[in-house]
Amino acid sequence: MRELSGKGLLIIDSLHEPDTKKPWSFKEKLLLGLAPREYLSQIMRNPLNWAMCIILALGVPLIVYRFVFGLGTVTHSSNDYPWGLFLGFGLFTMVPLSASGFLLGTTVELFGRRDFKPIERLALLNGLLGYLFAVIYLLVDLGQPWRLHYPMFVTWGTAAVLFLVGWHVAVYLTVQMMEVSEAFFEWANWPLAKLFIKRITIGLTVAGIILSTLHQGALGALFSYAPSKVHPLWYSAPYLWIFFFCSSIFAGLGMVIVVSTVVKKTMAWRCDDNFLENLDRLTIGLAKGASMAMVTYIALKLIGIAHDNEWAYLATGWGLWFMLEMAVGVIIPLILFSVSIRRNLAGLARFAAFMTVFGIVLNRLNTAIIAFNWNLYQEIPHIFEIIIAVTLFTIYIITYRFILYRLPVLYSWKPAPFREYSTAVEKSHFPGKEPAQAGVFRRTAK
Amino acid sequence: MKGITRRKFILAGMWGATAVIMNGKAAHGKADFEGYPEGMGVLVDLTRCVGCRTCEAACNNEQNLPVPDRPFYDQSVFDEVHHDGKQKRRTDENAYTVVNRYDAEGSEEAVYRKIQCNHCNEPACLTSCFVSAYTKTKEGAVIYNPKACVGCRNCMIACPFRIPAYTYSKALNPVIKKCIFCYDTRLVNGQPPACIEACPMEVLTFGHRDDLIKIAHERIRMHPDVYIDHLYGEREVGGTAWMYLSGVPFEQVGIDTTLQKDPILSNASEFLSNVPVVLAVWPALFMGFHLLATGDNRESGEENHEPERKEE
Amino acid sequence: MPCSRSTIFITIIFAIMSLMTILPERATGERGRIPTEIEIGSLAGLFGEVYFDHEMHLDLADTCSECHHHTLGSYVIDEDCARCHRESEPTEEVSCGGCHTADPFSAEYLKTKMEDPNLYHNDKPGLKAAYHLNCVACHREMGAPTGCQDCHERTAAGDSYYRADAMASGVGGTGKEH
């Protein structure tokens, strides 16, 4: 794409072709303004696409295989290790990494930190896709995924933490879809729908905080059911849910930094100046938020160890592993974040964010798989299980990229070609109206 | 005193005010929950077991389980170990009960121990299930409804005894398989489970749980030289219907002696008790923050806090 | 011996009479009034009857109470029984099945079990367990055989119950890893 735009190709960032003033057709918008052949060749040129193609070629048949022949054929999930990578990574890791949606929503919409606006949509999209794929991982893992609606409509197990998780993730997914749909409505030119979403933004955001607080914590509380199985250093009946909630804050913020870094490196053509110019400042801002959560998390972890008097475990092999996780995933990134904030080094903050995300993956895998059954035996995931998990993640990346290429997430939707007119109208009658309202005015103007 | 009230509390957490109505319904009859008064139980006396595996055979016949690799009189299965010797045989989809042999210190004879669902008073599987697939019947059995099960396997995570097994091999209708106290075929008719009837040594004594506790303590009192002074399952994880007496320390026969006395659910109660707080407090709290943070923009209209992106 | 010879004699006669009439088990041959061989078959099913050489066991046992507890009025060795029954008269019933019910877990039995005024009898094993607990314990102690088929042959029904066909077919998987 970079090459193409360098050759003077237009990048669609408004409803209308600037020269002819014709509205872009749906097909044009979908193909990024390229002819089908150009679009294909653009895909073929990217070596990453080939790599992903190979992964899909391996993984998709395996997913089909899993549904035809059962979980037992592709996973090492067993009676002792009921949950493997699909939940250990797919659910328990994807969900905290997707906390970005509610965090940035709160920052921007509720706390009025407009300066974070350029990255808000990316954070919302990151949240939506993370949850969506967490559910997809879950569907692959469930014994009978076609009964997913049972806890909603058929038979209620109201006393279960998982019941709360199920409901909250379902509701929150809906909330996030509505939040992100604002960008979609701009792109699809449905201004009224967008207006409706804007009206309820505050409500959605507050709902997002409530749901997120509860289900991020609930994922931790799920493991409080297994006191004899999760290693004491990772277990704490009263605090496990706070650990999970608190770590989801820096997980979500770290993930936004990671994604924005990747985006800046790989699809700068799609980002507008507003995004690119503000990114370093925003990265440092996110790093500030993450480091506050990290300090809190470290304190909570210490309280957790002290509460159950688990100091002696620190001297064991598991203790070393625990301290390694804390060092690599929390303490070192925290130090790096602090340095980057003080010296204003966005690059360092980015590096720290990658470590943070890695640390979260490690923590969740530890709780769900590695330090689970610590006193029994170690289970290593089946190779097919790993391939399927990677395949689903690849589909996640493809979907992510597909949306970022199109919807106004990294850039704002320009109201051209009636820019002068519509902004004039906006300024006189509707101070502060979103530019995409232009669509409405264009029609009235005719 | 913990069970139903706690469950009610959680219900309240989920549904806030609406739960009050539901509580009213749930409160009927069973205010204090310490197992059902007419609940049956089994006393497993490990000092009596000779490892004949007749109980395994009985279970296999009663539950129409597949024919095993080796006949049930074959005692070579006791040499079976898995995962580098870290695990002896366990229950699975084809065996709802298994007997293992242990070489306990201070005991000349090998000690055998039967494993099966312990039918907790307040089962972790039941309280962790988000579709209510499990039921604790008034007879004491913990039964399972395969028609409700979604296959999340949270019950297997929650069970402190690692009992529920899953039919991972099935693609279309995988379900949990576990001992159900022969509920539908025997217990409802007042009959003891098949394994108990089959046991030649009466290792397994069937009766009202309350009576069994008295009998067990009487056995310990009469023969303090034979028994460890503990009835395993009387209080573990809130009490179980199946309880164990042993002549050797329990941990030497593969029994987890580190388990808490409170029901497993109580570990999640800390979190669940916070649910209604979050539901009630968060909206007002964060709306308050919102007004504080954006208050000065409000005069210029609801949507005025939209940034002026182009200029930024 | 606390009891006189005549008491024991009368007791034994009485005991044997009741044994003959009430017991399903059949005693064959007599040494005096004591059966020399007893065919224990009331519980036969998965395993065949036991031909119990009563005479031989009589010679091996120190006292009748090792098996018959206090029912013969003979010296009671079990201290727990002796607390009440040291001076007890012989009972009407001396056969195993007379006291140890074959159906110890039936709803009716369980209902009355704990109401037994004879406090220490509420943990009385059923008939099958009474046999096995007593026999196996002593056999172990004496170094006598303890295998199932050392005393009773497994029947065809027993073979199918214990899945004797498992070896041939080799399907299914008790004790598989997962």
Side-chain angles (χ1 to χ4, degrees), chain C residues 14-43:
Chain C
F14 198 78
I16 301 310
M17 281 170 65
S18 55
L19 197 77
M20 303 290 277
T21 52
I22 295 167
L23 254 197
E25 328 297 10
R26 188 159 46 84
T28 51
E30 284 180 23
R31 192 180 77 172
R33 292 294 184 164
I34 303 170
T36 52
E37 198 173 271
I38 301 172
E39 187 188 308
I40 305 171
S42 69
L43 298 171

PDB file of all heavy atoms in Angstrom, chain C residues 14-43:
ATOM      1  N   PHE C  14     -28.648 -76.956  71.453  1.00  0.00           N
ATOM      2  CA  PHE C  14     -29.644 -75.958  71.083  1.00  0.00           C
ATOM      3  C   PHE C  14     -29.213 -75.195  69.825  1.00  0.00           C
ATOM      4  O   PHE C  14     -29.982 -74.997  68.895  1.00  0.00           O
ATOM      5  CB  PHE C  14     -29.807 -74.998  72.261  1.00  0.00           C
ATOM      6  CG  PHE C  14     -31.070 -74.210  72.188  1.00  0.00           C
ATOM      7  CD1 PHE C  14     -32.284 -74.800  72.543  1.00  0.00           C
ATOM      8  CD2 PHE C  14     -31.060 -72.895  71.745  1.00  0.00           C
ATOM      9  CE1 PHE C  14     -33.445 -74.069  72.466  1.00  0.00           C
ATOM     10  CE2 PHE C  14     -32.230 -72.186  71.671  1.00  0.00           C
ATOM     11  CZ  PHE C  14     -33.429 -72.761  72.044  1.00  0.00           C
ATOM     12  N   ALA C  15     -27.952 -74.883  69.867  1.00  0.00           N
ATOM     13  CA  ALA C  15     -27.412 -74.123  68.744  1.00  0.00           C
ATOM     14  C   ALA C  15     -27.510 -74.905  67.453  1.00  0.00           C
ATOM     15  O   ALA C  15     -27.933 -74.383  66.425  1.00  0.00           O
ATOM     16  CB  ALA C  15     -25.950 -73.779  69.023  1.00  0.00           C
ATOM     17  N   ILE C  16     -27.140 -76.128  67.511  1.00  0.00           N
ATOM     18  CA  ILE C  16     -27.156 -76.938  66.306  1.00  0.00           C
ATOM     19  C   ILE C  16     -28.579 -77.089  65.784  1.00  0.00           C
ATOM     20  O   ILE C  16     -28.817 -77.012  64.567  1.00  0.00           O
ATOM     21  CB  ILE C  16     -26.548 -78.340  66.564  1.00  0.00           C
ATOM     22  CG1 ILE C  16     -25.106 -78.209  67.049  1.00  0.00           C
ATOM     23  CG2 ILE C  16     -26.625 -79.197  65.314  1.00  0.00           C
ATOM     24  CD1 ILE C  16     -24.242 -77.308  66.203  1.00  0.00           C
ATOM     25  N   MET C  17     -29.510 -77.249  66.710  1.00  0.00           N
ATOM     26  CA  MET C  17     -30.900 -77.395  66.289  1.00  0.00           C
ATOM     27  C   MET C  17     -31.366 -76.161  65.517  1.00  0.00           C
ATOM     28  O   MET C  17     -31.957 -76.256  64.451  1.00  0.00           O
ATOM     29  CB  MET C  17     -31.812 -77.630  67.497  1.00  0.00           C
ATOM     30  CG  MET C  17     -31.752 -79.074  67.987  1.00  0.00           C
ATOM     31  SD  MET C  17     -32.577 -79.250  69.553  1.00  0.00           S
ATOM     32  CE  MET C  17     -34.264 -78.875  69.099  1.00  0.00           C
ATOM     33  N   SER C  18     -31.030 -75.053  66.100  1.00  0.00           N
ATOM     34  CA  SER C  18     -31.471 -73.825  65.420  1.00  0.00           C
ATOM     35  C   SER C  18     -30.743 -73.675  64.099  1.00  0.00           C
ATOM     36  O   SER C  18     -31.297 -73.229  63.102  1.00  0.00           O
ATOM     37  CB  SER C  18     -31.220 -72.606  66.302  1.00  0.00           C
ATOM     38  OG  SER C  18     -29.863 -72.581  66.680  1.00  0.00           O
ATOM     39  N   LEU C  19     -29.514 -74.068  64.089  1.00  0.00           N
ATOM     40  CA  LEU C  19     -28.730 -73.995  62.862  1.00  0.00           C
ATOM     41  C   LEU C  19     -29.387 -74.828  61.766  1.00  0.00           C
ATOM     42  O   LEU C  19     -29.527 -74.388  60.626  1.00  0.00           O
ATOM     43  CB  LEU C  19     -27.324 -74.527  63.142  1.00  0.00           C
ATOM     44  CG  LEU C  19     -26.241 -74.177  62.134  1.00  0.00           C
ATOM     45  CD1 LEU C  19     -25.809 -72.734  62.336  1.00  0.00           C
ATOM     46  CD2 LEU C  19     -25.064 -75.112  62.274  1.00  0.00           C
ATOM     47  N   MET C  20     -29.803 -76.013  62.153  1.00  0.00           N
ATOM     48  CA  MET C  20     -30.404 -76.913  61.183  1.00  0.00           C
ATOM     49  C   MET C  20     -31.719 -76.361  60.644  1.00  0.00           C
ATOM     50  O   MET C  20     -32.041 -76.516  59.474  1.00  0.00           O
ATOM     51  CB  MET C  20     -30.681 -78.297  61.817  1.00  0.00           C
ATOM     52  CG  MET C  20     -29.458 -78.962  62.410  1.00  0.00           C
ATOM     53  SD  MET C  20     -28.310 -79.510  61.159  1.00  0.00           S
ATOM     54  CE  MET C  20     -29.054 -81.073  60.710  1.00  0.00           C
ATOM     55  N   THR C  21     -32.480 -75.761  61.511  1.00  0.00           N
ATOM     56  CA  THR C  21     -33.826 -75.342  61.097  1.00  0.00           C
ATOM     57  C   THR C  21     -33.819 -73.988  60.415  1.00  0.00           C
ATOM     58  O   THR C  21     -34.476 -73.788  59.395  1.00  0.00           O
ATOM     59  CB  THR C  21     -34.767 -75.293  62.301  1.00  0.00           C
ATOM     60  OG1 THR C  21     -34.127 -74.499  63.312  1.00  0.00           O
ATOM     61  CG2 THR C  21     -35.059 -76.669  62.830  1.00  0.00           C
ATOM     62  N   ILE C  22     -33.090 -73.054  61.012  1.00  0.00           N
ATOM     63  CA  ILE C  22     -33.207 -71.683  60.517  1.00  0.00           C
ATOM     64  C   ILE C  22     -32.264 -71.403  59.360  1.00  0.00           C
ATOM     65  O   ILE C  22     -32.612 -70.788  58.371  1.00  0.00           O
ATOM     66  CB  ILE C  22     -32.940 -70.696  61.666  1.00  0.00           C
ATOM     67  CG1 ILE C  22     -34.032 -70.844  62.709  1.00  0.00           C
ATOM     68  CG2 ILE C  22     -32.909 -69.260  61.145  1.00  0.00           C
ATOM     69  CD1 ILE C  22     -33.721 -70.161  64.004  1.00  0.00           C
ATOM     70  N   LEU C  23     -31.051 -71.893  59.511  1.00  0.00           N
ATOM     71  CA  LEU C  23     -30.031 -71.524  58.536  1.00  0.00           C
ATOM     72  C   LEU C  23     -30.333 -72.024  57.132  1.00  0.00           C
ATOM     73  O   LEU C  23     -30.762 -73.141  56.933  1.00  0.00           O
ATOM     74  CB  LEU C  23     -28.704 -72.143  58.962  1.00  0.00           C
ATOM     75  CG  LEU C  23     -27.661 -71.207  59.546  1.00  0.00           C
ATOM     76  CD1 LEU C  23     -26.322 -71.910  59.515  1.00  0.00           C
ATOM     77  CD2 LEU C  23     -27.603 -69.931  58.750  1.00  0.00           C
ATOM     78  N   PRO C  24     -30.091 -71.175  56.190  1.00  0.00           N
ATOM     79  CA  PRO C  24     -30.156 -71.670  54.817  1.00  0.00           C
ATOM     80  C   PRO C  24     -28.936 -72.564  54.527  1.00  0.00           C
ATOM     81  O   PRO C  24     -28.970 -73.412  53.673  1.00  0.00           O
ATOM     82  CB  PRO C  24     -30.119 -70.410  53.984  1.00  0.00           C
ATOM     83  CG  PRO C  24     -29.492 -69.380  54.859  1.00  0.00           C
ATOM     84  CD  PRO C  24     -29.779 -69.775  56.261  1.00  0.00           C
ATOM     85  N   GLU C  25     -27.858 -72.258  55.251  1.00  0.00           N
ATOM     86  CA  GLU C  25     -26.661 -73.061  55.030  1.00  0.00           C
ATOM     87  C   GLU C  25     -26.940 -74.483  55.533  1.00  0.00           C
ATOM     88  O   GLU C  25     -27.684 -74.706  56.473  1.00  0.00           O
ATOM     89  CB  GLU C  25     -25.468 -72.494  55.801  1.00  0.00           C
ATOM     90  CG  GLU C  25     -25.457 -71.001  55.977  1.00  0.00           C
ATOM     91  CD  GLU C  25     -25.378 -70.228  54.664  1.00  0.00           C
ATOM     92  OE1 GLU C  25     -25.517 -70.858  53.612  1.00  0.00           O
ATOM     93  OE2 GLU C  25     -25.217 -69.007  54.717  1.00  0.00           O
ATOM     94  N   ARG C  26     -26.304 -75.432  54.904  1.00  0.00           N
ATOM     95  CA  ARG C  26     -26.585 -76.816  55.260  1.00  0.00           C
ATOM     96  C   ARG C  26     -25.341 -77.428  55.899  1.00  0.00           C
ATOM     97  O   ARG C  26     -24.246 -77.396  55.344  1.00  0.00           O
ATOM     98  CB  ARG C  26     -26.971 -77.599  54.012  1.00  0.00           C
ATOM     99  CG  ARG C  26     -27.475 -78.994  54.262  1.00  0.00           C
ATOM    100  CD  ARG C  26     -28.291 -79.438  53.052  1.00  0.00           C
ATOM    101  NE  ARG C  26     -27.609 -79.138  51.793  1.00  0.00           N
ATOM    102  CZ  ARG C  26     -26.691 -79.919  51.254  1.00  0.00           C
ATOM    103  NH1 ARG C  26     -26.331 -81.033  51.847  1.00  0.00           N
ATOM    104  NH2 ARG C  26     -26.139 -79.612  50.115  1.00  0.00           N
ATOM    105  N   ALA C  27     -25.539 -77.941  57.091  1.00  0.00           N
ATOM    106  CA  ALA C  27     -24.434 -78.593  57.765  1.00  0.00           C
ATOM    107  C   ALA C  27     -24.527 -80.090  57.522  1.00  0.00           C
ATOM    108  O   ALA C  27     -25.605 -80.676  57.592  1.00  0.00           O
ATOM    109  CB  ALA C  27     -24.490 -78.322  59.251  1.00  0.00           C
ATOM    110  N   THR C  28     -23.397 -80.671  57.163  1.00  0.00           N
ATOM    111  CA  THR C  28     -23.421 -82.111  56.910  1.00  0.00           C
ATOM    112  C   THR C  28     -22.470 -82.808  57.865  1.00  0.00           C
ATOM    113  O   THR C  28     -21.372 -82.310  58.127  1.00  0.00           O
ATOM    114  CB  THR C  28     -22.991 -82.423  55.467  1.00  0.00           C
ATOM    115  OG1 THR C  28     -21.763 -81.752  55.233  1.00  0.00           O
ATOM    116  CG2 THR C  28     -24.019 -81.968  54.473  1.00  0.00           C
ATOM    117  N   GLY C  29     -22.868 -83.917  58.363  1.00  0.00           N
ATOM    118  CA  GLY C  29     -22.015 -84.679  59.280  1.00  0.00           C
ATOM    119  C   GLY C  29     -21.973 -84.029  60.642  1.00  0.00           C
ATOM    120  O   GLY C  29     -22.195 -82.829  60.787  1.00  0.00           O
ATOM    121  N   GLU C  30     -21.709 -84.694  61.602  1.00  0.00           N
ATOM    122  CA  GLU C  30     -21.667 -84.128  62.934  1.00  0.00           C
ATOM    123  C   GLU C  30     -20.515 -84.727  63.697  1.00  0.00           C
ATOM    124  O   GLU C  30     -20.132 -85.873  63.497  1.00  0.00           O
ATOM    125  CB  GLU C  30     -22.973 -84.421  63.681  1.00  0.00           C
ATOM    126  CG  GLU C  30     -24.129 -83.554  63.217  1.00  0.00           C
ATOM    127  CD  GLU C  30     -25.399 -83.874  63.978  1.00  0.00           C
ATOM    128  OE1 GLU C  30     -25.290 -84.416  65.100  1.00  0.00           O
ATOM    129  OE2 GLU C  30     -26.477 -83.597  63.442  1.00  0.00           O
ATOM    130  N   ARG C  31     -19.928 -83.870  64.531  1.00  0.00           N
ATOM    131  CA  ARG C  31     -18.994 -84.400  65.500  1.00  0.00           C
ATOM    132  C   ARG C  31     -19.607 -84.073  66.850  1.00  0.00           C
ATOM    133  O   ARG C  31     -19.634 -82.919  67.233  1.00  0.00           O
ATOM    134  CB  ARG C  31     -17.633 -83.743  65.351  1.00  0.00           C
ATOM    135  CG  ARG C  31     -16.562 -84.458  66.147  1.00  0.00           C
ATOM    136  CD  ARG C  31     -15.223 -83.786  65.985  1.00  0.00           C
ATOM    137  NE  ARG C  31     -15.133 -82.566  66.782  1.00  0.00           N
ATOM    138  CZ  ARG C  31     -14.002 -81.878  66.939  1.00  0.00           C
ATOM    139  NH1 ARG C  31     -12.906 -82.270  66.324  1.00  0.00           N
ATOM    140  NH2 ARG C  31     -13.973 -80.805  67.673  1.00  0.00           N
ATOM    141  N   GLY C  32     -20.141 -85.035  67.452  1.00  0.00           N
ATOM    142  CA  GLY C  32     -21.015 -84.743  68.574  1.00  0.00           C
ATOM    143  C   GLY C  32     -22.227 -84.072  67.985  1.00  0.00           C
ATOM    144  O   GLY C  32     -22.839 -84.594  67.056  1.00  0.00           O
ATOM    145  N   ARG C  33     -22.538 -82.853  68.454  1.00  0.00           N
ATOM    146  CA  ARG C  33     -23.670 -82.105  67.891  1.00  0.00           C
ATOM    147  C   ARG C  33     -23.196 -80.953  67.025  1.00  0.00           C
ATOM    148  O   ARG C  33     -23.964 -80.119  66.618  1.00  0.00           O
ATOM    149  CB  ARG C  33     -24.533 -81.567  69.042  1.00  0.00           C
ATOM    150  CG  ARG C  33     -25.243 -82.649  69.811  1.00  0.00           C
ATOM    151  CD  ARG C  33     -26.264 -83.337  68.910  1.00  0.00           C
ATOM    152  NE  ARG C  33     -27.017 -84.312  69.681  1.00  0.00           N
ATOM    153  CZ  ARG C  33     -28.168 -84.834  69.268  1.00  0.00           C
ATOM    154  NH1 ARG C  33     -28.670 -84.502  68.083  1.00  0.00           N
ATOM    155  NH2 ARG C  33     -28.801 -85.708  69.997  1.00  0.00           N
ATOM    156  N   ILE C  34     -21.910 -80.892  66.835  1.00  0.00           N
ATOM    157  CA  ILE C  34     -21.361 -79.780  66.067  1.00  0.00           C
ATOM    158  C   ILE C  34     -21.168 -80.218  64.627  1.00  0.00           C
ATOM    159  O   ILE C  34     -20.613 -81.286  64.370  1.00  0.00           O
ATOM    160  CB  ILE C  34     -19.999 -79.356  66.663  1.00  0.00           C
ATOM    161  CG1 ILE C  34     -20.188 -78.988  68.133  1.00  0.00           C
ATOM    162  CG2 ILE C  34     -19.420 -78.172  65.893  1.00  0.00           C
ATOM    163  CD1 ILE C  34     -18.895 -78.790  68.865  1.00  0.00           C
ATOM    164  N   PRO C  35     -21.620 -79.428  63.687  1.00  0.00           N
ATOM    165  CA  PRO C  35     -21.463 -79.819  62.279  1.00  0.00           C
ATOM    166  C   PRO C  35     -19.995 -79.891  61.913  1.00  0.00           C
ATOM    167  O   PRO C  35     -19.185 -79.087  62.368  1.00  0.00           O
ATOM    168  CB  PRO C  35     -22.177 -78.714  61.507  1.00  0.00           C
ATOM    169  CG  PRO C  35     -22.185 -77.549  62.427  1.00  0.00           C
ATOM    170  CD  PRO C  35     -22.239 -78.100  63.821  1.00  0.00           C
ATOM    171  N   THR C  36     -19.674 -80.853  61.111  1.00  0.00           N
ATOM    172  CA  THR C  36     -18.282 -80.977  60.693  1.00  0.00           C
ATOM    173  C   THR C  36     -18.020 -80.193  59.402  1.00  0.00           C
ATOM    174  O   THR C  36     -16.935 -79.706  59.175  1.00  0.00           O
ATOM    175  CB  THR C  36     -17.918 -82.447  60.439  1.00  0.00           C
ATOM    176  OG1 THR C  36     -18.886 -82.999  59.557  1.00  0.00           O
ATOM    177  CG2 THR C  36     -17.903 -83.212  61.749  1.00  0.00           C
ATOM    178  N   GLU C  37     -19.032 -80.093  58.600  1.00  0.00           N
ATOM    179  CA  GLU C  37     -18.842 -79.369  57.339  1.00  0.00           C
ATOM    180  C   GLU C  37     -20.108 -78.554  57.055  1.00  0.00           C
ATOM    181  O   GLU C  37     -21.207 -79.043  57.249  1.00  0.00           O
ATOM    182  CB  GLU C  37     -18.610 -80.363  56.206  1.00  0.00           C
ATOM    183  CG  GLU C  37     -17.987 -79.722  54.986  1.00  0.00           C
ATOM    184  CD  GLU C  37     -17.624 -80.779  53.950  1.00  0.00           C
ATOM    185  OE1 GLU C  37     -16.504 -81.310  54.008  1.00  0.00           O
ATOM    186  OE2 GLU C  37     -18.478 -81.043  53.105  1.00  0.00           O
ATOM    187  N   ILE C  38     -19.920 -77.311  56.629  1.00  0.00           N
ATOM    188  CA  ILE C  38     -21.088 -76.471  56.350  1.00  0.00           C
ATOM    189  C   ILE C  38     -20.990 -75.961  54.914  1.00  0.00           C
ATOM    190  O   ILE C  38     -19.931 -75.489  54.485  1.00  0.00           O
ATOM    191  CB  ILE C  38     -21.158 -75.268  57.322  1.00  0.00           C
ATOM    192  CG1 ILE C  38     -21.234 -75.774  58.772  1.00  0.00           C
ATOM    193  CG2 ILE C  38     -22.366 -74.377  57.012  1.00  0.00           C
ATOM    194  CD1 ILE C  38     -21.114 -74.686  59.802  1.00  0.00           C
ATOM    195  N   GLU C  39     -22.071 -76.068  54.205  1.00  0.00           N
ATOM    196  CA  GLU C  39     -22.092 -75.552  52.835  1.00  0.00           C
ATOM    197  C   GLU C  39     -22.737 -74.168  52.882  1.00  0.00           C
ATOM    198  O   GLU C  39     -23.921 -74.024  53.151  1.00  0.00           O
ATOM    199  CB  GLU C  39     -22.906 -76.491  51.955  1.00  0.00           C
ATOM    200  CG  GLU C  39     -22.865 -76.146  50.492  1.00  0.00           C
ATOM    201  CD  GLU C  39     -23.858 -76.990  49.701  1.00  0.00           C
ATOM    202  OE1 GLU C  39     -23.826 -78.227  49.840  1.00  0.00           O
ATOM    203  OE2 GLU C  39     -24.678 -76.401  48.977  1.00  0.00           O
ATOM    204  N   ILE C  40     -21.908 -73.167  52.690  1.00  0.00           N
ATOM    205  CA  ILE C  40     -22.423 -71.792  52.738  1.00  0.00           C
ATOM    206  C   ILE C  40     -22.800 -71.393  51.318  1.00  0.00           C
ATOM    207  O   ILE C  40     -21.933 -71.156  50.471  1.00  0.00           O
ATOM    208  CB  ILE C  40     -21.365 -70.832  53.302  1.00  0.00           C
ATOM    209  CG1 ILE C  40     -20.898 -71.325  54.678  1.00  0.00           C
ATOM    210  CG2 ILE C  40     -21.921 -69.422  53.414  1.00  0.00           C
ATOM    211  CD1 ILE C  40     -19.700 -70.572  55.219  1.00  0.00           C
ATOM    212  N   GLY C  41     -24.088 -71.310  51.074  1.00  0.00           N
ATOM    213  CA  GLY C  41     -24.490 -71.087  49.689  1.00  0.00           C
ATOM    214  C   GLY C  41     -25.546 -70.022  49.512  1.00  0.00           C
ATOM    215  O   GLY C  41     -25.944 -69.698  48.389  1.00  0.00           O
ATOM    216  N   SER C  42     -25.983 -69.431  50.622  1.00  0.00           N
ATOM    217  CA  SER C  42     -27.105 -68.493  50.499  1.00  0.00           C
ATOM    218  C   SER C  42     -26.721 -67.265  49.689  1.00  0.00           C
ATOM    219  O   SER C  42     -27.579 -66.613  49.113  1.00  0.00           O
ATOM    220  CB  SER C  42     -27.579 -68.063  51.888  1.00  0.00           C
ATOM    221  OG  SER C  42     -26.597 -67.258  52.494  1.00  0.00           O
ATOM    222  N   LEU C  43     -25.437 -66.953  49.660  1.00  0.00           N
ATOM    223  CA  LEU C  43     -25.026 -65.741  48.952  1.00  0.00           C
ATOM    224  C   LEU C  43     -24.412 -66.067  47.603  1.00  0.00           C
ATOM    225  O   LEU C  43     -23.899 -65.186  46.922  1.00  0.00           O
ATOM    226  CB  LEU C  43     -24.014 -64.966  49.796  1.00  0.00           C
ATOM    227  CG  LEU C  43     -24.516 -64.474  51.149  1.00  0.00           C
ATOM    228  CD1 LEU C  43     -23.361 -63.928  51.969  1.00  0.00           C
ATOM    229  CD2 LEU C  43     -25.589 -63.422  50.980  1.00  0.00           C
TER     230      LEU C  43
END
